[in-house]
Amino acid sequence: MAQRVLVGRPLTTGAVADRYDAVVVGSGAGGLTTAVCLARQGRRVAVFEQHYTAGGYTHAYRRRGWEWDVGIHYVGQLGPREPVRVLSDYLTGGALRWAPVGDPCDEYRLAGEVHRGPVGFDAHRAELTARFPAERAGIDALFALVGRCRAVLPALAVGRLSGPVARGLARLLRTAAVPPEAMRPARDVVEGLIADERLRQAVLTRSALLLADSTAKLPFFLLAVMFEHFRTGAWYPVGGSAAIARAMVDPIRAAGGEVFVRAPVALIELTGTRATGVRLADGTRVRAPVVVSAAGAHHTHRTLLPAARPPGAPERPGTSERPAAPDPLDGMRRGFPFVVLFLGLDGDPAELGLPRHNLLVTDGDCDAFFDGTGGRTSGCFLSFSCAKDPTWTGRYPGRSTGGILAYVRPELFAPFHGSRHRHRDRAYLALKAELSAELLDLLHRQLPSTRGRVAYHELGTPLTAEHFAGWPGGSLYGLAKDVTAFGDGRTPGRADRLRPRTAVDGLYLSGQDCLAGGFLGAVTGGLLAAHEALDRTGRARLWTGLLRQAARPQAPPEAPSGTA
């Protein structure tokens, strides 16, 4: 029997208390991570989500007898005692289980040339060397550099924290663990090591399509993060992506808190220069000494915070005004918006030959779209959750679902911004039909067994993402994570201004904009925000709890399911 996919308690009259120990705006992986970390230290936390279900880009939905995840395609570092596994088990008490995707976890189809990325550095290096023997030296140098970048993300994460100890440790780690190449554009670094363009594409494509940007703009360390994150394989949540939020709600409730859905926050309230709570769209005021925004930096600073006082105007004690301050978003660009074609197919995954691994398909140049020299859509990412989840066939016998993701130019849907959900212009519907036909054609060319088996499909657009997830412009990863955001290793990047501890006392930023994109970036941002929001005793308990979790015996992973 299918488990529930709707997570959270709908907002009703009298359901919300007047005061909590902390309020979290947004229930994506980052916001829920912060909320659970605070709850496990005894804090009573209220999470407010504007959508009808919790989970952000990890939520799932059902329609006409099918079920889709909307953003979780696979997650790495879930092997025994790996960091994401430790954090997952800490957050959920081990209730959230993960099934391995198998080997390989990715297949690249680049202008018709097929590459399979095997699990493990040695196997991957051997695979590339066998296909490109003349590039052996460059391949060896590439993997050596990837290995030298393993500590870059932790070093940058520590650098986002406040306090003299964290700042000193960050300086030490940057000196010892951040090679100069780490902060340079990934494409430049790879071109300096590898001459064969086909091999370059095999190395760069995953970064471009998973991180949603040109590898001429992405820093090399993010490419290294992708290699390291999936070095021991990839996993998918057992029971579907809704299992993530479902498992994280219980610890919040156990501490007296709640996750409220259909509960949009209209304003973060300030008293003087301190955040003191939030005002919901229905006018309800909720007080808390700690306010955490996991709604994205842009939405937080441009929508949720009250406008700064006019220059020279006197401050009025007790009002919701804040002093004028430098714009932390200055010079930061939004990430690329995207479309997803959600597919409902007649037949189970094995019958249709649907792969557990993901398919990354380009015309041979992963950067052309992002550089502005390609068409109106990028290369595509095909994923079939039904083949990854070992519970799928028992829940939905004879049916399969999947999705095709492609990035689009911001101006493609710009004419329709401001229109209302379910009341869009005919031109918008026509554009959706065109893009749907193109993606269906790609599906049938890549997986011919799907011809005649697509019983239902619908296209999610940037306006869909903006409506349901609240991300301005419909970006998948919020603000762009490029070389200008991270800096060159010698001078700070622009994203250094987007720390978990904001310039407003009592207000903290969580989620992807704190550090990096994707599930890993979101939960890391959530952990950093919790650290900053806790007092010294709470921080000690948080990190002690994580260390104890890392030392505990861990259950074996679920058996993989579906076809290879």
Side-chain angles (χ1 to χ4, degrees):
M1 183 176 179
Q3 291 180 300
R4 56 191 170 89
V5 295
L6 297 184
V7 180
R9 178 181 179 182
L11 187 66
T12 56
T13 303
V16 181
D18 294 333
R19 186 175 181 85
Y20 292 86
D21 296 322
V23 163
V24 176
V25 183
S27 70
L32 289 178
T33 295
T34 302
V36 174
C37 287
L38 296 179
R40 290 208 178 280
Q41 316 322 316
R43 273 51 169 188
R44 187 184 183 207
V45 185
V47 180
F48 294 107
E49 168 59 51
Q50 61 95 29
H51 193 17
Y52 61 69
T53 185
Y57 280 138
T58 72
H59 85 267
Y61 78 101
R62 292 192 184 123
R63 188 162 296 157
R64 302 191 183 185
W66 283 278
E67 177 184 317
W68 294 273
D69 60 19
V70 300
I72 288 291
H73 305 116
Y74 57 174
V75 178
Q77 294 185 311
L78 280 156
R81 294 183 174 80
E82 287 193 294
V84 180
R85 175 69 183 275
V86 171
L87 184 56
S88 172
D89 286 352
Y90 175 79
L91 294 172
T92 71
L96 179 59
R97 297 177 298 142
W98 299 86
V101 170
D103 189 0
C105 56
D106 281 322
E107 181 178 311
Y108 312 97
R109 299 183 177 183
L110 316 178
E113 187 173 14
V114 178
H115 299 261
R116 292 165 72 88
V119 172
F121 278 10
D122 290 344
H124 200 168
R125 181 168 49 234
E127 167 87 7
L128 294 177
T129 302
R131 295 190 67 161
F132 302 93
E135 295 283 359
R136 176 184 295 273
I139 293 169
D140 289 344
L142 172 69
F143 278 89
L145 181 56
V146 167
R148 289 170 55 207
C149 289
R150 282 178 176 167
V152 173
L153 192 64
L156 294 177
V158 172
R160 291 287 198 267
L161 298 177
S162 61
V165 174
R167 287 195 296 268
L169 180 58
R171 285 194 296 270
L172 179 64
L173 288 173
R174 285 186 78 108
T175 300
V178 182
E181 299 94 333
M183 313 308 289
R184 290 177 51 207
R187 187 199 296 172
D188 291 355
V189 175
V190 171
E191 286 178 348
L193 298 173
I194 293 170
D196 191 299
E197 180 60 23
R198 293 180 304 137
L199 176 55
R200 290 175 183 167
Q201 290 296 320
V203 169
L204 294 170
T205 291
R206 180 165 62 183
S207 296
L209 292 189
L210 289 190
L211 299 176
D213 213 341
S214 169
T215 60
K217 296 177 181 175
L218 293 169
F220 177 81
F221 85 86
L222 285 180
L223 178 147
V225 165
M226 289 290 99
F227 273 86
E228 178 65 21
H229 188 59
F230 296 110
R231 178 171 57 88
T232 60
W235 287 258
Y236 184 80
V238 175
S241 63
I244 298 173
R246 195 162 54 234
M248 294 171 76
V249 167
D250 288 344
I252 298 169
R253 289 174 174 163
E258 184 56 270
V259 176
F260 295 100
V261 297
R262 300 186 187 273
V265 170
L267 188 71
I268 294 171
E269 296 205 314
L270 308 182
T271 299
T273 61
R274 182 173 186 84
T276 53
V278 298
R279 186 185 307 160
L280 305 183
D282 68 358
T284 302
R285 302 178 75 177
V286 185
R287 297 297 184 187
V290 169
V291 177
V292 180
S293 178
H298 191 280
H299 189 58
T300 302
H301 288 282
R302 298 285 169 82
T303 304
L304 296 179
L305 278 172
R309 286 183 293 114
E315 181 179 344
R316 296 175 297 177
T319 62
S320 293
E321 294 182 343
R322 60 190 173 100
D327 185 354
L329 303 180
D330 183 42
M332 300 285 291
R333 65 185 179 91
R334 297 177 186 175
F336 277 90
F338 66 103
V339 295
V340 180
L341 185 65
F342 297 102
L343 304 162
L345 301 102
D346 286 332
D348 63 36
E351 176 191 355
L352 296 173
L354 300 178
R356 287 197 308 271
H357 58 262
N358 302 299
L359 301 180
L360 292 82
V361 181
T362 76
D363 62 2
D365 186 346
C366 63
D367 287 329
F369 164 80
F370 300 108
D371 289 339
T373 60
R376 63 181 181 178
T377 61
S378 71
C380 294
F381 184 96
L382 289 76
S383 179
F384 299 92
S385 56
C386 59
K388 300 171 188 175
D389 179 9
T391 73
W392 176 269
T393 54
R395 295 190 293 131
Y396 295 103
R399 292 195 162 199
S400 296
T401 60
I404 308 174
L405 183 147
Y407 303 100
V408 297
R409 302 204 178 285
E411 60 269 19
L412 191 61
F413 284 90
F416 312 112
H417 280 288
S419 59
R420 292 188 299 122
H421 181 56
R422 301 189 186 280
H423 295 84
R424 309 293 193 194
D425 189 275
R426 288 184 179 178
Y428 171 82
L429 300 178
L431 177 58
K432 285 183 63 172
E434 288 176 22
L435 293 172
S436 297
E438 292 175 11
L439 295 175
L440 282 172
D441 180 63
L442 179 139
L443 169 72
H444 297 325
R445 284 187 282 111
Q446 299 299 325
L447 296 171
S449 62
T450 63
R451 290 186 184 276
R453 308 303 289 272
V454 178
Y456 180 77
H457 64 81
E458 63 182 25
L459 188 77
T461 74
L463 275 64
T464 314
E466 198 169 47
H467 174 80
F468 287 111
W471 286 91
S475 167
L476 185 60
Y477 298 127
L479 296 172
K481 312 300 188 289
D482 57 17
V483 289
T484 62
F486 286 102
D488 59 8
R490 297 182 300 276
T491 57
R494 288 170 174 159
D496 283 357
R497 300 183 298 243
L498 298 175
R499 297 171 181 269
R501 183 184 294 272
T502 73
V504 177
D505 293 339
L507 175 63
Y508 304 89
L509 189 67
S510 177
Q512 297 184 100
D513 284 338
C514 285
L515 185 63
F519 184 81
L520 174 64
V523 297
T524 302
L527 181 60
L528 297 178
H531 170 95
E532 291 288 76
L534 287 165
D535 57 19
R536 184 176 298 178
T537 301
R539 291 175 183 176
R541 291 178 59 189
L542 171 62
W543 293 105
T544 299
L546 286 166
L547 289 173
R548 286 176 177 166
Q549 183 63 57
R552 290 175 184 159
Q554 295 179 339
E558 300 283 332
S561 153
T563 60

